[in-house]
Amino acid sequence: MFIETLFTEPIYFFRIIIIVIFSITLHELAHGWAAMSQGDNTPQKTGHLTLNPVVHMGKESIIFLCLMGIAWGQMPVNPSKFRSPKLGNILVSAAGPLSNLALGILFIVVLKLLGNLSLSGLFSVEFIYLAARINLILFLFNLLPIPPLDGFHVFSEIFPKLKPLENTQFGLFAMMLLFIIPEFGIGLSSIADLVIRSAIGVESLSF
């Protein structure tokens, strides 16, 4: 279990917790801001336009993150209020993963600067690398066309024949299958590592 990391690698444990909570909070806020831009004021009415992670994740998600290393968030939206239901749903659904992609790119840029300007003494290179890695993994994971992930809502608008799957057990079964297959997580991590190292150059890293 992930909680064991607290006793074996406490610094790594708290880095993961901080990065995931921060990244999920901005992910959900991106959904909310996108919904507001599409004419839906539900995020504002429900008090979800906040940086408070408990509002977006809930205590259960944060506890589960500490125990198992898995977390989730939620942003209430009302698609019926979107000016264009189809386009609105695509934009609002894509906003979350894109925020993680943007964060991943931002942290990669910081890593590049650390390598070029020798500023590693002012920042933790390991922490920035981990933040870039986690956000790229969140981006890739959330784009999977599996309900209830954001990728499903995007692809089901493009390919309407996928929509009936939302009301079946397919999503639950697929998610359970992904989490019990170690190679899946390893694959996402490997892709994230490849992107980061290709962007900054392996020689830029000193850890």
Side-chain angles (χ1 to χ4, degrees), residues 22-23 26-27 98-108 131-132 135:
F22 171 76
S23 301
L26 289 191
H27 176 111
L98 289 177
S99 72
N100 295 124
L101 177 61
L103 285 173
I105 293 173
L106 175 63
F107 288 122
I108 288 174
N135 274 282

Side-chain angles (χ1 to χ4, degrees), residues 8 22 25 51 93 101 138 153 158-159 163 183 197:
T8 58
F22 171 76
T25 298
L51 286 172
S93 298
L101 177 61
L138 287 173
H153 295 289
I158 300 172
F159 306 103
K163 283 185 176 292
E183 290 77 11
R197 293 178 181 272

Side-chain angles (χ1 to χ4, degrees), residues 30-41 43 75-78 82 92:
H31 284 311
W33 291 328
M36 294 284 290
S37 74
Q38 294 303 302
D40 176 22
N41 65 345
M75 173 60 68
V77 299
N78 187 351
F82 296 161
V92 173

Side-chain angles (χ1 to χ4, degrees), residues 21 30 48-49 57 62 72 98 148 151 155:
I21 289 178
H48 277 70
L49 293 184
M57 299 175 64
I62 294 175
W72 59 90
L98 289 177
F155 286 105

Side-chain angles (χ1 to χ4, degrees), residues 108-164:
I108 288 174
V109 170
V110 173
L111 278 176
K112 188 70 173 177
L113 290 174
L114 293 180
N116 291 341
L117 302 179
S118 300
L119 296 176
S120 56
L122 300 177
F123 301 93
S124 168
V125 175
E126 293 91 341
F127 181 83
I128 301 299
Y129 186 97
L130 188 60
R133 190 174 190 242
I134 287 175
N135 274 282
L136 290 179
I137 290 173
L138 287 173
F139 166 69
L140 294 170
F141 177 74
N142 279 286
L143 278 186
L144 293 174
I146 300 173
L149 298 178
D150 299 319
F152 176 80
H153 295 289
V154 173
F155 286 105
S156 64
E157 291 295 343
I158 300 172
F159 306 103
K161 289 185 178 181
L162 294 175
K163 283 185 176 292

Side-chain angles (χ1 to χ4, degrees), residues 59-82:
K59 295 178 181 178
E60 296 84 0
S61 176
I62 294 175
I63 292 172
F64 206 73
L65 170 62
C66 295
L67 293 176
M68 304 296 294
I70 300 172
W72 59 90
Q74 186 176 15
M75 173 60 68
V77 299
N78 187 351
S80 66
K81 292 186 177 181
F82 296 161

